[in-house]
Amino acid sequence: MSQVWSRTPVTPEGRLGTAAQHPGRSDGLYLQRRNAVARLARGHRVGDPSPAVEYTESEHATWRTVHGALGGAHRAYACREVLDAVEAAPIPADHVPQHAEVSERLKPLTGFEFTLAGGFVENRRFLGAMEDGYFHAVQFVRHPSVPLYTPEPDVIHDVFGHGIHLASSRFAELYRMFGRTAMRLETPEALDLISRVYWFTLEFGVMADAGSGKGLGAGAGAGPPKAYGAALLSSYGELARLDRCEVRELDVHAVVATPYRVSGYQPVLFGARCLNHLTDLLAGFLADFDDDTGDRLGLRPVPGDRS
């Protein structure tokens, strides 16, 4: 992996550095606020109401900055199914929404609600809750000095990414597929395998541009990828670099063998031909997946850099 791809944006101008240098990881005052909001998730039971957060004007301003940037970026870089879902998604223009506000919009559409998380959630709880229509989401807001990229999921990521997905019945059903599969698994190894497929599809997936008449990949006949993954949809920086990524055909064996970074731009993405192709591939893979599937299929994950 090149040094460019192993680094993280740490300034508004896009200068790259280590994840530890990002102000969201190094600013003590910011971390006090972030951690205070995250602590509200301690002891939270899936499905319980999330406590309200009194967001500051600075946090609302960060939301408005990202909202203004992502509108145009979605029109330029997102797939048609995402643009259709945006119309119904719970994304106010002027303020950070409370979880209750998001859930009130989503539940009548797809049956999904946000349930509280304080940060990353272990695989079985995170994925399994999706079977019952609960998505673990955080409430803290990214650092205001680098509003267009965050090294960890924040409320902006969860609403602009997963909130858009969960306003669409077709995307919501993909989340439920992962949930049903996770709930019948017992081993950490099996859960890790499906979490990697989730990562490279519902977080960082791209697909061919339906309007271009071209496929994905290299060569004169290839078209630019269109984003559908939640991590891409919530990151202006990631969207603007799509044309610099290596896009490979979506293949489960290749996905689980590909290292990934949580705190940095992804150098490799996997592309589906269309949403029907993505749905068919995931349904076929997840329907009969069990704790022994990895061994039967010879799926051998390569550890990712999850810093």
Side-chain angles (χ1 to χ4, degrees):
M1 185 181 297
S2 74
Q3 287 299 306
V4 170
W5 290 112
S6 65
R7 289 176 171 267
T8 295
V10 296
T11 68
E13 298 76 26
R15 182 174 65 82
L16 300 178
T18 65
Q21 292 174 305
H22 190 283
R25 296 276 179 87
S26 59
D27 181 340
L29 287 177
Y30 169 79
L31 288 170
Q32 287 181 25
R33 169 63 172 172
R34 179 249 184 246
N35 293 338
V37 175
R39 280 195 294 271
L40 297 174
R42 289 181 179 176
H44 185 81
R45 296 179 300 180
V46 174
D48 281 355
S50 299
V53 174
E54 187 174 341
Y55 289 108
T56 67
E57 177 51 35
S58 173
E59 289 166 334
H60 288 306
T62 298
W63 175 276
R64 291 192 292 269
T65 296
V66 178
H67 186 281
L70 285 179
H74 286 170
R75 289 189 292 274
Y77 300 111
C79 70
R80 170 48 53 191
E81 289 82 1
V82 163
L83 296 179
D84 291 341
V86 167
E87 298 301 318
I91 305 177
D94 60 345
H95 68 278
V96 185
Q98 302 289 339
H99 277 194
E101 182 180 348
V102 174
S103 296
E104 286 169 6
R105 290 283 300 276
L106 293 180
K107 191 167 185 179
L109 296 172
T110 62
F112 264 88
E113 298 177 77
F114 274 8
T115 195
L116 186 58
F120 287 105
V121 179
E122 59 89 13
N123 282 332
R124 194 168 197 276
R125 174 173 172 141
F126 176 72
L127 296 171
M130 298 177 193
E131 179 182 26
D132 296 322
Y134 293 108
F135 184 83
H136 282 83
V138 300
Q139 293 180 300
F140 54 83
V141 180
R142 62 190 58 181
H143 197 283
S145 71
V146 191
L148 301 184
Y149 181 82
T150 175
E152 67 173 338
D154 70 332
V155 66
I156 293 175
H157 161 80
D158 285 334
V159 176
F160 278 92
H162 300 289
I164 290 175
H165 282 176
L166 298 175
S168 160
S169 59
R170 296 191 68 187
F171 280 113
E173 178 53 29
L174 300 182
Y175 283 72
R176 292 185 189 275
M177 284 186 195
F178 279 101
R180 289 191 292 268
T181 304
M183 290 307 293
R184 63 174 181 264
L185 300 178
E186 298 293 338
T187 68
E189 294 79 10
L191 286 162
D192 181 63
L193 285 175
I194 66 166
S195 76
R196 288 169 179 272
V197 177
Y198 170 89
W199 178 264
F200 278 113
T201 55
L202 293 183
E203 288 287 0
F204 282 95
V206 296
M207 64 178 64
D209 182 357
S212 73
K214 298 179 179 181
L216 290 168
K226 292 291 186 178
Y228 71 86
L232 299 177
L233 297 178
S234 58
S235 173
Y236 180 91
E238 296 268 11
L239 289 172
R241 297 176 74 96
L242 276 183
D243 61 351
R244 307 185 202 180
C245 295
E246 177 186 350
V247 179
R248 301 175 183 173
E249 182 178 355
L250 183 57
D251 173 80
V252 170
H253 287 76
V255 163
V256 300
T258 301
Y260 66 87
R261 291 180 56 81
V262 170
S263 302
Y265 291 139
Q266 303 300 316
V268 175
L269 303 176
F270 290 88
R273 293 190 294 272
C274 61
L275 186 54
N276 285 340
H277 173 226
L278 173 68
T279 301
D280 290 346
L281 186 148
L282 291 179
F285 175 67
L286 295 172
D288 299 317
F289 192 95
D290 60 29
D291 288 308
D292 300 319
T293 297
D295 289 335
R296 287 198 306 271
L297 298 181
L299 299 177
R300 296 290 181 266
V302 174
D305 177 359
R306 306 185 190 190
S307 62

